[in-house]
Amino acid sequence: MTLAELEIAQAASLKEIASASDASAVESLRVKYIGRNGSIPAVIKAMKDVPKEERPAFGKAVQLWKAQVESALQAKGGSQSAEKTVEADLTLPGRWWGLGAKHPLSRVIEDSAAIFAKLGFTVADGPEIENRFNNFTALNTPAHHPSMDRSDTFWFGEDSLLRTQTSPVQIRAMMSNKPPVRVICPGRTYRRDTTDATHSANFHQIEGLYVDETATKPVSLADLKSVLAYFAREMMGECVTVRFRPHFFPFTEPSVEVDFTCHVCKGKGCNVCKQSGWIEVAGAGMVDPRVFKHVGYDSEKYSGYAFGFGVERIAMIKYGIPDIRWLYENDLRFLSQLG
C-alpha cells in the first residue's frame, strides 16, 4: 500500500464510521478497522514491504489513521449513549419498592431494652474481643472447664478470645462502678457450636445484673423471679408465666434454669414445647461471692442476681422460626414475612 492508497482508505473509514446508525454498527466497524485482524493492524504488519526511505512517513500516517479511527469510534459510541438517554421518558413515575422492616433480632434486642428500662435497667456495652480474666476467671470458671478448650472457643493466642457470652460486660460494669448496679448487656457472642438448626457459631445474648447493699435493699431470688415474670409477660404475652428449676452455673449460687409457659398452647402441651407446656429460655441465679471478690465487692455487704438468655432463642419462639440459620441468610422471602 502506498501513501496515496493509505489516504483513500483513511477517508473511507472515517466516512463509514460517521454514517453508522447504531451501537452494533459502531462495534462492527471497530472490529473491522482496529480489531486483532482489522485493516489497520494488517497495514502495520505489512510495513516491512514498504521501501526503507518511505517507511518513516508511512508509519506516521498509519498511526494518525489509527488515532483518528479510535477517536471517531469513541465519539460515535458516546453519541449513541446520549441518544439512548434522550429517548428515556423522564416523566414516568418511580418504582415503589415498599417499606423495609427491622430484623427480628434487632426487634427483640430493642424491645428487651425498652422492657428492662421500665424496671430501671440501663444498657451496658463492651468489646467482642475479650481477655481470659473477664470472660472466664472473674466469672469463677475453673481452669479445667471445657469451655476454655480451643474446640469450644475462638482464641487469639493465650489471653485474647472472641467472647463466649456477654457476662464480661457485667464484670466491666462492676469494676467500673460502685453498687447499686443495674444493667443489661446485649451483644454478639461466639462459640464453636454449629451442631444443629438451633445453634450457630455466632449468636446474640442479653444478660442482666442487679447488685445492691444487703443491709438497705437485699436482693433475692424473689426479686429475680418478679423481674423475669414481668419481662415474659411484656415480651411473649399476658398469659405467660415463669418457673425456676435448680441448675448449676459457675458464676451464680444458687443457680436456676428459667422456663416460660408455652405461648402457643398456653401451657397445655403442644409440639412447640414437646407436650411439656414449658419452654426453656434463660439461665439465672444469685451472683456467686467469688465473682464479687474478683471485682472488688464485699460479698458480706452486697448481694445481687444475674440472668442471661439468647436473643435468637426468643426470636425463634416468638416468631415461630424453626431454623436459626434463617436469621443470618438475608433471604427477603423470609424477612418480608416479619414486616
Side-chain angles (χ1 to χ4, degrees):
M1 179 180 286
T2 64
L3 278 172
E5 292 172 335
L6 183 63
E7 290 177 359
I8 294 173
Q10 179 182 1
S13 65
L14 296 176
K15 183 178 180 181
E16 194 172 4
I17 293 171
S19 61
S21 58
D22 53 38
S24 60
V26 172
E27 177 60 19
S28 298
L29 292 173
R30 186 194 67 77
V31 173
K32 177 180 178 180
Y33 287 110
I34 61 175
R36 180 178 297 179
N37 299 316
S39 301
I40 295 177
V43 172
I44 294 174
K45 291 178 182 178
M47 282 182 60
K48 62 180 183 295
D49 299 327
V50 176
K52 190 175 182 179
E53 61 276 7
E54 298 179 8
R55 199 172 294 168
F58 191 89
K60 187 176 181 180
V62 171
Q63 293 301 322
L64 177 61
W65 180 23
K66 182 180 179 182
Q68 289 178 334
V69 167
E70 289 176 344
S71 178
L73 288 170
Q74 185 176 4
K76 196 64 179 178
S79 66
Q80 293 289 341
S81 300
E83 289 172 7
K84 287 184 179 179
T85 302
V86 171
E87 290 174 0
D89 187 352
L90 301 179
T91 64
L92 289 173
R95 292 182 180 179
W96 173 249
W97 294 101
L99 291 174
K102 289 182 179 178
H103 194 277
L105 297 182
S106 298
R107 284 192 195 179
V108 171
I109 291 174
E110 292 180 7
D111 291 347
S112 299
I115 293 168
F116 284 113
K118 296 177 184 178
L119 300 173
F121 286 81
T122 59
V123 175
D125 195 12
E128 294 181 10
I129 297 179
E130 265 293 357
N131 57 54
R132 182 187 294 268
F133 177 82
N134 289 340
N135 198 88
F136 291 121
T137 307
L139 293 166
N140 195 38
T141 306
H144 61 273
H145 198 278
S147 63
M148 293 195 187
D149 293 344
R150 293 188 178 274
S151 59
D152 284 1
T153 299
F154 296 96
W155 285 91
F156 305 109
E158 293 299 321
D159 191 55
S160 297
L161 65 147
L162 289 175
R163 66 185 182 188
T164 60
Q165 53 207 350
T166 55
S167 302
V169 183
Q170 298 183 25
I171 300 300
R172 290 175 176 272
M174 286 189 284
M175 294 179 71
S176 304
N177 302 278
K178 294 181 179 180
V181 175
R182 195 193 298 256
V183 296
I184 61 166
C185 315
R188 189 188 299 270
T189 58
Y190 305 85
R191 295 179 191 173
R192 294 183 183 271
D193 188 359
T194 55
T195 52
D196 54 39
T198 62
H199 291 81
S200 173
N202 70 279
F203 55 99
H204 298 76
Q205 281 188 339
I206 294 179
E207 298 198 12
L209 171 72
Y210 174 43
V211 180
D212 212 331
E213 289 192 26
T214 304
T216 58
K217 195 173 183 181
V219 183
S220 67
L221 280 175
D223 298 324
L224 171 61
K225 192 170 185 178
S226 66
V227 166
L228 293 180
Y230 176 78
F231 170 76
R233 291 193 301 269
E234 290 292 305
M235 177 61 73
M236 310 302 293
E238 287 295 329
C239 296
V240 176
T241 58
V242 169
R243 77 172 180 182
F244 283 178
R245 289 181 291 112
H247 198 70
F248 169 76
F249 299 109
F251 34 83
T252 53
E253 179 58 39
S255 302
V256 294
E257 287 277 12
V258 183
D259 300 334
F260 290 178
T261 50
C262 179
H263 67 293
V264 176
C265 65
K266 306 298 187 291
K268 296 177 181 179
C270 65
N271 291 334
V272 174
C273 61
K274 300 178 181 179
Q275 307 303 325
S276 69
W278 297 93
I279 297 178
E280 180 183 325
V281 172
M286 302 301 293
V287 180
D288 193 291
R290 282 168 286 193
V291 174
F292 282 152
K293 182 178 180 181
H294 282 298
V295 299
Y297 283 9
D298 184 352
S299 60
E300 296 293 329
K301 185 178 180 181
Y302 301 111
S303 59
Y305 61 71
F307 59 86
F309 57 86
V311 176
E312 283 82 355
R313 177 75 168 158
I314 296 293
M316 292 174 72
I317 294 170
K318 185 172 184 177
Y319 300 114
I321 302 169
D323 193 324
I324 194 173
R325 290 166 292 195
W326 291 8
L327 295 168
Y328 307 121
E329 290 176 346
N330 295 325
D331 190 333
L332 291 179
R333 294 173 299 176
F334 160 67
L335 295 175
S336 61
Q337 297 178 51
L338 304 174

